[in-house]
Every structure is written in structure tokens, then in C-alpha cells.
Amino acid sequence: MGIVSPGFQGRPRSSASDLPPGQYLTEDFPVLSAGPTPRVPLDTWEFVLTSETGAEYRWSWDEMTGLPQDTPTVDLHCVTRWSKLGTTWQGVSLDTLLDGVDTTARYALAHSYGGYTTNLPLDDLRGGRAWVVHTYDGGPLPAEHGGPARLLVPHLYLWKSAKWVHGIRLLVDDRPGFWETAGYHDYGDPWREQRYQGD
């Protein structure tokens, strides 16, 4: 994989009470990626949920967008210290995708078109806290922001919300993803400033 997209500079810290510590508010939507942007045609796109036993559950684009849709409005917090508040999305809750999946897994590894991975506790994908989203601010999700679809887990730093999501593998034991292997925190809670291992 390539390096992080260049050109983004940090800004002064904000004292706003609705921001996690060390974050500043932005009105734009910075683009940061680990490598080139995949271009995935909708007629070949699919999402694959794989249980710890190897059982697979697959959805095509039409099947995914035909499922019950949520429209969460959430705040985003990037590990590079910017926060964007009140973003509106549309997509499918992970609760819907996990419904009926027989699993005793405790962890999940999200994987993307292009090879990116990130790990999460399975509980953080449940309870109306995570989605596979395809619409941002009323329009199709742009490729630079993870379209056609990305994982959205807004209570964690944004690197956990895998762009260009292709699937999730359920795991009995935790397995670090791309940034976690490079020293980022395994969990990534912005309110506890869990940016790097040891934070």
C-alpha cells in the first residue's frame, strides 16, 4: 500500500465542549487515504460477511440497497485531529446484516477493495452504532470518501470506518489491521485520545 495522501496540515486545538480532546472543528471534509482510490463498478460490487466457521453471507449492490435503510446523523473524528459535526448518511445497519448470523465471535476484521483492513470488537458493530453507508449528504458517496460504500463507526476514530468496504470477517481472536499493525491503537476511542498503541 502507498503512503497517506499528502497535503493535510493540522490546526489549532478547539476548546468546544462537543469535541473530543485534542480535536479541532472543520467545515470541509478532508480526504486522507492509505493508497490509491479503488473504482468499483456497482454491477460487480458485493459485501461479504464471513463467520468464524467460514460461512459466507453475500449482498450485491441491489440487495444491499434493497434492505431497510437508516439515515444516521453523526459526528466524525479523525486521528489527524479534525472533527466534522452533524454529518448525514444513509445505509444499512450492521444489526440488519448480522441478524440471523450464528456466531460466537468477539472481534471483526473489516476489509476493503484495495486491500485495507481494520479490526474492531464485534460489540462495537452492534446496537445501532455501525452501518454500511452508500449516501452522504443526500447524494451518492463519492469515491474519495469511500464510495460506493464504506463502513461507518462514528464513535471511534475515522480510520475504523473502512472506506470502499468489501466485507467483514468475524473472528474469535483479535487480529490487527493495516494501521493497527503500523502502531495505531487497537480500539481508537477519540474521547480517550486512543491514537497510538499505549495511549
Side-chain angles (χ1 to χ4, degrees), residues 25-45:
L25 185 63
T26 185
E27 297 298 326
D28 57 2
F29 196 164
V31 175
L32 300 170
S33 301
T37 298
R39 305 291 174 175
V40 187
L42 298 185
D43 60 353
T44 61
W45 182 93

Side-chain angles (χ1 to χ4, degrees), residues 99-199:
D99 186 40
V101 175
D102 184 21
T103 182
T104 59
R106 296 178 53 214
Y107 300 97
L109 187 71
H111 54 93
S112 300
Y113 289 96
Y116 179 79
T117 57
T118 191
N119 59 314
L120 307 104
L122 184 55
D123 283 349
D124 285 85
L125 299 180
R126 290 179 158 148
R129 299 197 296 164
W131 300 265
V132 173
V133 293
H134 51 76
T135 300
Y136 170 69
D137 200 22
L141 181 61
E144 64 267 23
H145 290 306
R150 75 178 294 162
L151 187 62
L152 181 65
V153 191
H155 65 281
L156 301 178
Y157 280 124
L158 200 53
W159 90 80
K160 295 292 187 176
S161 294
K163 294 181 178 181
W164 317 296
V165 69
H166 183 31
I168 291 175
R169 178 174 291 275
L170 305 181
L171 303 169
V172 173
D173 298 309
D174 198 10
R175 184 185 307 167
F178 176 80
W179 284 121
E180 296 82 13
T181 301
Y184 279 46
H185 201 279
D186 278 333
Y187 187 61
D189 182 346
W191 295 96
R192 292 188 281 170
E193 291 196 87
Q194 292 177 332
R195 292 182 169 85
Y196 305 107
Q197 297 293 343
D199 285 350

